[in-house]
Amino acid sequence: MLDQVITGTSISDPNKSDAVKAATTFSANIPPSPWGATYTTNGDFDEGTLVGVEHQTVADQLHLSSESTTLPFIWVPNSNEGTVSKIDTVTGRELGRYRTGPAGVYGNPSRTTVDLYGNCWVGNRNSGTVVKNWVARKW
C-alpha cells in the first residue's frame, strides 16, 4: 500500500487547487531474464566476472566499485569480410566473429563504439547502417 498526497491545480484558474490523500496498491509482472536466471546472491555474482562492481561491502548486493575498470574485450571491424571480431584484451584471443549485415549485403563495417552495457555498435560505410551486436555471454 502506497499513501501519497496528490495536489491538483485548476487549468482555467491556477490560483485554485486542492489536495487529497490517495492510497494505492499496485503490482507488476516482471518478465524473466533473457539469460534465464536472476542473480541476487554473492554465489550468483561469483559465477561471472565482475567489472566495475563488487559485492563485498554489502552481502548479496552489487555496488559500484571504488576503482575504475575497463571492459575486458575490444571490438575490431573486419571491413573486407563484413564482420566484427570480439577480442579478449587479456589473452588477445578472438572470442567471436559476427556479421554486421544480412548475407549478400556488403556493409563494410568501419567504426565501433561500446555503450555502458557492453553492447557494441558498428557503423557500416557501404550500406549506411548502424548495427547493435548484443551477445548474451558472461565475461
Side-chain angles (χ1 to χ4, degrees), residues 118-131:
N119 300 309
C120 175
W121 295 80
V122 182
N124 290 305
R125 283 186 281 232
N126 290 359
S127 61
T129 59
V130 175
V131 178

Side-chain angles (χ1 to χ4, degrees), residues 16-70:
K16 295 181 180 177
S17 64
D18 199 4
V20 295
K21 184 173 182 178
T24 306
T25 302
F26 65 92
S27 64
N29 291 325
I30 300 173
S33 165
W35 297 279
T38 301
Y39 298 93
T40 57
T41 66
N42 287 354
D44 295 337
F45 304 143
D46 288 335
E47 288 183 24
T49 302
L50 301 178
V51 179
V53 294
E54 56 88 13
H55 61 78
Q56 305 305 322
T57 305
V58 179
D60 301 328
Q61 292 184 17
L62 287 178
H63 291 269
L64 292 176
S65 176
S66 59
E67 297 178 23
S68 63
T69 58
T70 59

Side-chain angles (χ1 to χ4, degrees), residues 35-117:
W35 297 279
T38 301
Y39 298 93
T40 57
T41 66
N42 287 354
D44 295 337
F45 304 143
D46 288 335
E47 288 183 24
T49 302
L50 301 178
V51 179
V53 294
E54 56 88 13
H55 61 78
Q56 305 305 322
T57 305
V58 179
D60 301 328
Q61 292 184 17
L62 287 178
H63 291 269
L64 292 176
S65 176
S66 59
E67 297 178 23
S68 63
T69 58
T70 59
L71 297 173
F73 52 83
I74 188 170
W75 293 86
V76 178
N78 307 306
S79 296
N80 293 335
E81 298 177 6
T83 62
V84 63
S85 292
K86 184 177 182 180
I87 308 292
D88 183 316
T89 58
V90 176
T91 66
R93 195 175 115 241
E94 183 180 62
L95 301 175
R97 190 171 288 214
Y98 310 93
R99 290 192 176 279
T100 62
V105 176
Y106 179 61
N108 193 6
S110 172
R111 305 291 189 264
T112 63
T113 190
V114 178
D115 64 23
L116 294 174
Y117 304 105

